């Protein structure tokens, strides 16, 4: 579904993304991990066609992000770090606008808005002006926007930031329920989130991939030495692996 | 095209959800009415004077178009310089500041559609602004029932000129808004640029020869005069349309460049 090969993005001397390659199969959830400034957001912005890469290739649903951006964008739902909402519009007017530029047919628009609003539990505040909503509510409107048009691929940049604990669980359940039908790339630095919802994890630090495996594979690879009686060493938590790999 | 209309709808939604459009409409009408009343007053004085001196020749020469509307359109053109920066400042700058540009970049719409959509909304706001002043010729027509009344053909040409002038200003404002993240900076620079296109005309009196022609050609408000006299000059039409085209093209470039930075 998503294929990234030797992706490089440099800003003058600074290499924000340095030779990143990975693949996400259809229906999978990939956890995208890394400390702040590691290049997570930059990679996601390249995948969604916001930024052109310096070199390397990225393909989504078989379309090259750079050569065929419109086809890629038709198949992607993207939630950036800050939900891209117009604070002067009501949530419903905003979702109507996004639905129309995403090409949702006019007749299906209202039912589509109801669908995503129910999924993200936005229905109670659809009539309110977004500027008056709380951070968590805005985040949910942002998430609803990404789901509009039922895109095959979802790219979510820290989707649970600003939510309260109950909502975090809700959103995690939502993302889990979307897997299978959608291919999801999810960036976060909340590690339990990855353990809770992702099958695979990609850890990057300073623009480079330092680990890319299934969660079990990661744990096995970083397990402690075999003890004297022959039993395998203690399994490390994802947190330990993350700290070990990123504290270069 | 469908996407451009969607963008335009959204822009209009925001224009009318915030007070900015209403404030600018009010400002335009209040200042416009002041000029209209003054011109009407001087028309009245002139006609009284001619009547007193009993000079029917002068009376015949006095008409609404030359005495009122030609000057009024010139004044309205200048008022546009003061209100258009506030109508265009938000268009792109605010999208950049609120990071909603990212939303537009990740949905299947092209930069061209973004530019057209935003410009279309700006043009519709301009039409609303100008339509409010249609009250003046209608009033004159109502009052001057017994006389020949206003020449509607000339009035509409005058409005066409005002519209083209406003459209050119809007295109420049849109471009400047695409260069910055700050609405205040966008408004200020747009205002200065528009003001320059007016002020440069003042120097025409002091220069001579080809310099004078260049200066007169550059001055935006001077191109309005042929329209408000009730004539259509191709040279002026070309002037306005080329500024519109230039502004839109530059905006398109600026949006593309913002993406690559």
């Amino acid at each position: 579904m998503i294929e990234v090969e030797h992706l490089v993005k440099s800003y003058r001397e600074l290499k924000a993304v340095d030779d990143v390659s990975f693949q996400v199969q259809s229906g999978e959830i990939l956890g995208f991990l890394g400390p702040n400034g590691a290049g997570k957001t930059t990679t996601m912005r390249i995948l969604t066609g916001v930024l052109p890469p310096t070199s390397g290739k990225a393909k989504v649903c078989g379309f090259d992000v750079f050569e065929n951006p419109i086809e890629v964008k038709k198949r992607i739902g993207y939630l950036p770090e800050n939900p891209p909402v117009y604070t002067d519009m009501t949530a419903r007017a905003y979702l109507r606008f996004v639905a129309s530029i995403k090409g949702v047919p006019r007749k299906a628009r209202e039912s589509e808005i109801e669908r995503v609003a129910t999924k993200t539990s936005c229905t109670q505040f659809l009539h309110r002006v977004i500027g008056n909503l709380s951070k968590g509510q805005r985040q949910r409107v942002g998430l609803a926007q990404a789901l509009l048009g039922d895109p095959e691929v979802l790219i979510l940049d820290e989707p649970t930031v600003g939510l309260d604990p109950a909502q975090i669980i809700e959103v995690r359940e939502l993302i889990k329920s979307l897997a299978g039908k959608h291919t999801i790339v999810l960036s976060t630095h909340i590690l339990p989130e990855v353990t809770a919802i992702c099958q695979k994890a990609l850890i990057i630090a300073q623009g480079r991939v330092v680990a890319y495996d299934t969660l079990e594979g990661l744990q096995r690879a970083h397990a402690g030495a075999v003890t004297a009686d022959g039993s395998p060493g203690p399994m490390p938590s994802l947190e330990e692996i993350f700290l070990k790999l990123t504290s270069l | 095209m469908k996407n451009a209309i969607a963008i335009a709808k959204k822009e209009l939604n925001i224009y009318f959800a915030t007070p900015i459009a209403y404030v600018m409409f009010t400002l335009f009408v209040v200042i416009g009415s002041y000029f209209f009343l003054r011109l009407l007053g001087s028309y009245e004085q002139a006609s009284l004077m001619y009547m007193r001196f009993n000079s029917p020749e002068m009376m015949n020469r006095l008409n609404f178009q030359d005495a009122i509307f030609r000057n009024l359109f010139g004044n309205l053109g200048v008022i546009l310089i003061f209100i258009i920066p506030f109508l265009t400042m938000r268009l792109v700058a605010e999208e950049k500041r609120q990071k909603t540009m990212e939303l537009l970049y990740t949905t299947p719409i092209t930069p061209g559609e973004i530019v057209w959509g935003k410009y279309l909304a700006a043009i519709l706001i301009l039409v609303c602004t100008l339509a409010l002043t249609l009250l003046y010729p209608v009033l004159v027509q109502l009052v001057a029932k017994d006389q020949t009344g206003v020449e509607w053909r000339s009035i509409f040409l005058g409005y066409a000129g005002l519209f083209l002038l406003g459209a050119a200003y809007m295109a420049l404002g849109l471009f400047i808004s695409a260069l910055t993240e700050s609405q205040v900076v966008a408004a200020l620079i747009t205002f200065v640029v528009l003001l320059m296109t007016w002020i440069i005309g003042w120097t025409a009196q002091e220069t001579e020869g080809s310099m004078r022609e260049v200066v007169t050609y550059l001055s935006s408000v001077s191109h309005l005069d042929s329209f408000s006299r009730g004539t259509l000059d191709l040279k002026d039409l070309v002037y306005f349309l080329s500024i519109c085209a230039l502004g839109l093209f530059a905006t398109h470039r600026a949006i593309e460049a913002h993406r690559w930075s």
Side-chain angles (χ1 to χ4, degrees):
Chain A
M1 226 5 146
I2 302 176
E3 295 164 58
V4 174
E5 283 168 37
H6 308 292
L7 207 63
V8 177
K9 176 73 193 177
S10 38
Y11 297 100
R12 300 218 173 84
E13 311 91 68
L14 180 78
K15 277 196 170 171
V17 175
D18 191 0
D19 198 23
V20 168
S21 305
F22 63 89
Q23 275 149 23
V24 190
Q25 305 303 323
S26 178
E28 251 182 4
I29 306 184
L30 175 75
F32 205 26
L33 295 171
N36 284 325
K40 296 186 301 259
T41 300
T42 309
T43 311
M44 293 187 145
R45 295 178 81 193
I46 295 173
L47 273 182
T48 49
V50 177
L51 278 180
T54 309
S55 68
K57 268 199 169 169
K59 276 188 176 179
V60 176
C61 305
F63 293 101
D64 191 293
V65 169
F66 192 60
E67 282 161 13
N68 234 333
I70 297 287
E71 290 303 317
V72 169
K73 287 170 189 179
K74 279 183 189 166
R75 292 166 173 79
I76 276 189
Y78 177 45
L79 172 65
E81 247 173 316
N82 303 303
V85 290
Y86 296 98
T87 45
D88 293 319
M89 292 172 98
T90 63
R92 187 182 290 279
Y94 169 71
L95 290 176
R96 236 179 242 151
F97 165 64
V98 179
S100 66
I101 57 173
K102 279 190 168 186
V104 177
R106 184 183 292 272
K107 279 178 193 156
R109 248 173 244 167
E110 291 304 315
S111 59
E112 179 67 6
I113 290 170
E114 285 308 318
R115 184 185 73 86
V116 295
T118 318
K119 274 201 167 176
T120 52
S121 34
C122 289
T123 22
Q124 318 95 295
F125 49 84
L126 273 184
H127 63 281
R128 289 179 55 194
V129 174
I130 298 178
N132 300 336
L133 298 180
S134 73
K135 174 98 174 64
Q137 289 170 324
R138 281 186 207 192
Q139 188 73 18
R140 280 186 279 161
V141 173
L143 195 59
Q145 161 275 125
L147 296 178
L148 275 174
D150 214 13
E152 291 167 57
V153 176
L154 285 172
I155 298 195
L156 310 173
D157 202 347
E158 305 189 0
T160 53
V161 164
L163 302 180
D164 65 39
Q167 290 165 349
I168 289 183
I169 294 170
E170 241 172 70
V171 168
R172 278 185 199 163
E173 289 306 316
L174 170 67
I175 295 172
K176 259 197 216 170
S177 73
L178 292 172
K181 208 172 147 222
H182 304 261
T183 310
I184 303 172
V185 177
L186 172 106
S187 99
T188 180
H189 32 226
I190 308 164
L191 298 170
E193 199 156 280
V194 179
T195 345
I197 43 186
C198 303
Q199 285 105 32
K200 266 187 176 177
L202 176 79
I203 304 180
I204 67 171
Q206 290 167 341
R208 291 179 159 274
V209 176
V210 290
Y212 172 45
D213 207 342
T214 59
L215 291 181
E216 288 153 36
L218 273 178
Q219 285 182 319
R220 220 174 294 130
H222 294 273
V226 178
T227 47
D229 57 356
S231 62
M235 283 291 195
S237 71
L238 186 61
E239 198 165 357
E240 285 163 347
I241 299 171
F242 178 78
L243 288 175
K244 190 173 144 195
L245 287 172
T246 55
S247 60
L248 299 169
Chain B
M1 194 59 205
K2 239 171 66 190
N3 289 333
I5 290 174
I7 299 259
K9 264 191 190 164
K10 182 218 72 179
E11 293 299 335
L12 289 173
N13 185 321
I14 295 179
Y15 268 124
F16 291 111
T18 54
I20 191 80
Y22 300 109
V23 171
M24 290 304 134
F25 287 168
T26 313
L27 215 65
F28 190 70
V29 172
V30 167
I31 304 175
S33 303
Y34 168 75
F35 283 115
F36 173 64
L37 290 176
R38 285 201 53 169
L39 287 167
L40 203 62
S42 55
Y43 176 86
E44 196 189 358
Q45 271 185 351
S47 64
L48 278 176
M49 202 169 71
Y50 295 152
M51 252 193 275
R52 195 173 301 151
F53 293 124
N54 203 3
S55 61
E57 188 194 336
M58 291 298 274
M59 276 303 275
N60 279 339
R61 271 208 216 152
L62 194 63
N63 66 59
F64 294 123
Q65 187 64 30
D66 283 339
I68 299 180
F69 292 108
R70 190 173 160 191
N71 292 321
L72 183 67
F73 286 138
N75 291 332
L76 292 181
V78 173
I79 305 170
L80 283 180
I81 293 176
F82 292 85
I83 69 158
I84 282 184
F86 298 99
L87 291 172
T88 56
M89 63 179 183
R90 213 206 65 255
L91 286 172
V92 187
E94 188 64 2
E95 300 244 17
K96 284 184 175 180
R97 197 184 62 81
Q98 288 201 7
K99 312 275 182 220
T100 43
M101 214 58 190
E102 209 147 324
L103 172 75
L104 301 183
Y105 289 157
T106 52
T107 43
I109 52 178
T110 59
E113 288 169 331
I114 300 177
V115 176
W116 276 116
K118 287 180 179 290
Y119 192 58
L120 190 62
I123 290 295
L124 287 174
I125 289 287
L126 175 69
V127 170
C128 292
T129 315
L130 294 179
L132 292 170
T133 62
L134 272 173
L135 187 67
Y136 310 145
V138 168
L139 274 179
V140 172
Q141 177 72 36
L142 285 178
V143 172
K145 261 184 299 206
D146 50 334
Q147 292 184 32
T148 44
V150 294
E151 288 173 54
W152 284 102
R153 212 180 63 91
S154 310
I155 295 286
F156 283 117
L157 263 173
Y159 272 106
L162 267 183
F163 171 77
L164 285 168
L165 176 77
Y169 285 170
M170 287 283 191
L172 289 176
L174 180 64
F175 168 55
I176 292 164
S177 174
L179 296 178
T180 165
E181 277 192 18
S182 155
Q183 295 190 46
V184 179
V185 172
L188 212 71
I189 297 178
T190 309
F191 177 62
V192 170
V193 169
L194 298 188
L195 202 63
M196 290 301 285
T197 67
W198 178 37
I199 290 176
I200 200 168
W202 298 354
T203 56
Q205 279 112 33
E206 288 139 38
T207 48
E208 279 181 8
S210 56
M211 189 64 195
R212 184 170 189 159
E213 271 174 45
V214 170
V215 168
T216 317
Y217 188 77
L218 284 178
S219 159
S220 56
V221 181
S222 74
H223 289 273
L224 192 61
D225 201 48
S226 71
F227 287 98
S228 40
R229 269 201 314 258
T231 55
L232 183 65
D233 193 336
L234 197 63
K235 195 180 75 186
D236 300 325
L237 194 67
V238 168
Y239 173 85
F240 289 131
L241 290 180
S242 49
I243 291 188
C244 291
L246 188 73
L248 292 181
F249 175 74
T251 313
H252 187 268
R253 290 282 114 157
I255 287 181
E256 290 254 294
H258 171 244
R259 217 169 151 179
W260 283 77
S261 61

